[in-house]
Amino acid sequence: MNLVIDIGNTVAKVAVFDGFSLLEVVYDSKQNLEHLKDIYHKYHFEKAIVATVIDLSEQVLAQLALLPIPVLWLNEKTPLPVENLYETPQTLGYDRMAAVVAANEQFPGRNILVVDAGTCITYEFVDAEGRYHGGNISPGLQMRFRALHQFTGRLPLVRREGRELPMGKDTETAIRAGVLKGMEYEISGYIMAMKHKYPELLVFLTGGDDFSFDTNLKSIIFADRFLVLKGLNRILNYNNDKI
Ligand SMILES: Nc1ncnc2c1ncn2[C@@H]1O[C@H](COP(=O)(O)OP(=O)(O)O)[C@@H](O)[C@H]1O
Ligand SMILES: CC(C)(COP(=O)(O)O)[C@@H](O)C(=O)NCCC(=O)O
Ligand SMILES: [K+]
């Protein structure tokens, strides 16, 4: 079994894979992998992979150092099943690469846009020849709500849940619609622009923030909450003989 750990800016995800099938996922705080011990004792693991986009706490580092199995730390030196054309591989967030690897594995030979809506929204492009060209980074859902509150004198911190209008009729609905519609239009804009260039483009949507779409767009999107975890598992299997 494979132990797959993805530490994001908001949540740490710990997953169990048997070969290529996902058996279980738990969500932990990024400061403390509180479920790791239980998960570890529930299965028989042979190897692990860790990807992080933050500097880990002493506690998490100690927890990972205690694992009695080989651990692959995903970084710019890790051999990958896709070609990385990012100009600064040492600054790339490898959660982004993992999502690309998973999408390319499911549809090799296709041009793919991957949208990952987590703490940030990331847009990745991998072409039909399996080359990762890079992509863009923009603020995620909670970050947008928080930024409007933090950088103004009068805007409250609005929650995602609540009354949704196409155009706001008070401060709260104006902010909620502004943030949700802004994200939807941003994502739709990327899809439309890229489909113009690559008519056969496939689109994957992943990350903790799922949101509703225009049905037109929905039909061409593969939603997969576990894309990053699946990509990490693929990278771990790809490096089987090296760890
Ligand atoms: N149980 C949850 N705990 C924390 N965030 C959640 C949860 N369910 C959904 N979310 C949303 O998912 C986002 C985190 O998504 P995720 O893709 O895991 O982010 P990251 O990889 O950046 O840590 C949060 O911003 C939040 O809006
Ligand atoms: C862009 C990110 C902040 C996204 O992180 P996430 O939303 O998954 O927590 C992360 O991949 C990162 O820190 N990247 C480093 C910069 C880069 O990828 O070029
Ligand atoms: K992201």
Side-chain angles (χ1 to χ4, degrees):
M1 305 252 183
N2 289 343
L3 177 62
V4 172
I5 303 174
D6 165 30
I7 303 173
N9 281 288
T10 304
V11 191
K13 278 74 65 178
V14 178
V16 182
F17 284 85
D18 187 3
F20 285 94
S21 67
L22 177 59
L23 301 187
E24 185 173 352
V25 181
V26 295
Y27 298 85
D28 271 343
S29 89
K30 58 182 178 167
Q31 269 86 25
N32 184 354
L33 304 175
E34 48 273 273
H35 293 102
L36 183 61
K37 214 172 167 193
D38 293 345
I39 286 276
Y40 190 80
H41 288 111
K42 195 168 152 191
Y43 299 91
H44 177 74
F45 290 105
E46 281 119 34
K47 55 196 190 301
I49 183 166
V50 178
T52 179
V53 293
I54 60 169
D55 292 335
L56 299 178
S57 67
E58 290 297 328
Q59 203 167 358
V60 167
L61 287 172
Q63 284 172 287
L64 295 172
L66 282 174
L67 288 174
I69 49 175
V71 177
L72 176 66
W73 287 81
L74 181 58
N75 58 33
E76 72 278 9
K77 297 186 194 97
T78 311
L80 297 168
V82 300
E83 189 183 347
N84 187 3
L85 300 179
Y86 212 59
E87 289 182 5
T88 58
Q90 70 285 358
T91 72
L92 178 67
Y94 278 83
D95 56 339
R96 304 177 61 189
M97 178 55 85
V100 161
V101 165
N104 173 259
E105 180 192 15
Q106 287 186 46
F107 292 99
R110 299 294 298 266
N111 293 311
I112 306 174
L113 172 69
V114 180
V115 182
D116 183 344
T119 310
C120 295
I121 308 173
T122 51
Y123 299 89
E124 321 296 346
F125 178 62
V126 57
D127 73 15
E129 281 73 48
R131 291 179 299 218
Y132 169 57
H133 289 259
N136 295 348
I137 302 170
S138 86
L141 182 75
Q142 299 304 332
M143 199 181 282
R144 290 173 197 229
F145 281 122
R146 272 195 242 154
L148 290 174
H149 174 55
Q150 194 169 324
F151 299 116
T152 61
R154 301 229 167 121
L155 297 187
L157 182 60
V158 170
R159 289 161 45 84
R160 186 220 163 121
E161 297 71 34
R163 191 177 177 212
E164 268 182 56
L165 299 173
M167 287 291 190
K169 294 208 179 288
D170 56 28
T171 306
E172 185 180 320
T173 51
I175 291 174
R176 184 174 299 111
V179 167
L180 291 172
K181 286 279 166 212
M183 272 179 68
E184 183 181 331
Y185 293 149
E186 178 178 307
I187 294 172
S188 315
Y190 274 102
I191 295 173
M192 280 189 295
M194 295 216 33
K195 278 216 110 186
H196 190 71
K197 196 163 175 202
Y198 306 99
E200 304 299 317
L201 183 82
L202 297 179
V203 182
F204 275 84
L205 182 60
T206 188
D209 284 319
D210 36 46
F211 31 85
S212 56
F213 272 106
D214 173 85
T215 45
N216 218 352
L217 284 174
K218 217 173 189 167
S219 63
I220 61 154
I221 291 176
F222 298 97
D224 184 347
R225 177 158 284 219
F226 305 121
L227 202 63
V228 171
L229 293 168
K230 289 176 185 171
L232 293 176
N233 183 59
R234 165 83 178 110
I235 295 167
L236 182 55
N237 287 333
Y238 184 78
N239 286 279
N240 208 6
D241 51 342
K242 293 181 201 77
I243 61 162

